[in-house]
Amino acid sequence: AGSRRSRCAAAMSFQIPVPPGMTVEKEDSDSDPEAVALRQQRRQEREAREAREEAREKEAAERAAARRAEEAGKELFLQRICSTGDQVRAHLSSTKGGRPDDFEKRVAVATELREEAKAKFEASVLDEAVLLWFCAVHCLDFTANELSERAEASADGQRVRNMVIPILSNLAVALRRTGDLAAAQSAADLGLDVAQALP
């Protein structure tokens, strides 16, 4: 019997080796004030880290949403390819009475300007052709918010892009012929970006 008790005691005292760097809390750590305080401190630190990370993620998401909202209200075409936007708007105002507010009217005016620009280009009146094409781009420069208000927002957006791509291509050619290579490249780049956005 004594031998069996010795073997049981030896078995109960047997401990699984602990890898280096790892510690095992005592079974009675719940009653150890220092161990309890240490666990509480670690939990509080972890919760504080998680709260800070959550706050950072929330702030980043809010900034991204604000940027998207700001971009959705911006006209993005003309400002990328034309440094004389005021001149374009003034010419449109004097020749067409300004840019209409209605979607279909804007598209119609852009179509007229496109044809007028084509005629000027074929007559080698390049500066006027460029100005007219800029005016056409301005008419088609709908913001994302404006398009989203349309009943057929997706179809109308695609319609606008299909119209503006050849105009930008013509602008790139005309601007290159006038010697404005930087503007020509900008028009070509914008045309590529618009084309890539097509479904």
Side-chain angles (χ1 to χ4, degrees):
S3 177
R4 283 198 300 273
R5 284 196 297 271
S6 297
R7 287 197 297 272
C8 289
M12 292 175 64
S13 64
F14 175 76
Q15 295 182 347
I16 299 175
V18 177
M22 180 180 292
T23 60
V24 177
E25 294 183 354
K26 298 178 182 179
E27 292 182 1
D28 62 346
S29 60
D30 286 342
S31 61
D32 185 340
E34 292 184 1
V36 171
L38 181 59
R39 284 202 305 275
Q40 290 177 339
Q41 179 183 352
R42 289 174 177 171
R43 183 174 62 251
Q44 291 170 354
E45 291 173 349
R46 182 179 65 253
E47 291 173 350
R49 286 195 302 271
E50 291 173 352
R52 288 194 297 270
E53 182 63 25
E54 183 179 349
R56 283 195 294 269
E57 291 176 356
K58 181 179 180 181
E59 184 180 352
E62 289 174 349
R63 287 199 301 268
R67 285 195 298 272
R68 288 193 298 270
E70 183 180 359
E71 290 298 312
K74 283 184 177 180
E75 297 177 5
L76 302 177
F77 291 164
L78 190 64
Q79 68 176 4
R80 278 189 55 178
I81 60 174
C82 179
S83 60
T84 57
D86 290 342
Q87 180 184 351
V88 171
R89 285 182 281 272
H91 184 77
L92 187 60
S93 178
S94 64
T95 58
K96 303 292 182 181
R99 186 177 69 178
D101 294 326
D102 179 73
F103 178 88
E104 293 298 341
K105 289 180 180 178
R106 281 173 66 169
V107 171
V109 172
T111 301
E112 293 176 9
L113 291 163
R114 178 186 64 189
E115 296 307 312
E116 292 172 13
K118 182 180 178 182
K120 293 293 184 181
F121 180 79
E122 291 174 348
S124 297
V125 186
L126 298 181
D127 289 339
E128 290 188 30
V130 166
L131 181 57
L132 289 167
W133 272 320
F134 276 146
C135 289
V137 169
H138 179 48
C139 284
L140 296 172
D141 202 357
F142 294 94
T143 69
N145 287 340
E146 288 172 329
L147 288 175
S148 68
E149 294 171 356
R150 301 281 299 168
E152 300 292 335
S154 178
D156 286 337
Q158 184 169 342
R159 180 181 170 194
V160 168
R161 289 189 287 271
N162 286 334
M163 284 188 67
V164 83
I165 288 171
I167 293 175
L168 292 170
S169 177
N170 292 338
L171 262 172
V173 173
L175 287 165
R176 187 162 55 246
R177 290 191 184 180
T178 65
D180 194 343
L181 301 183
Q185 186 64 54
S186 295
D189 290 344
L190 178 57
L192 180 60
D193 289 345
V194 175
Q196 290 176 340
L198 288 172

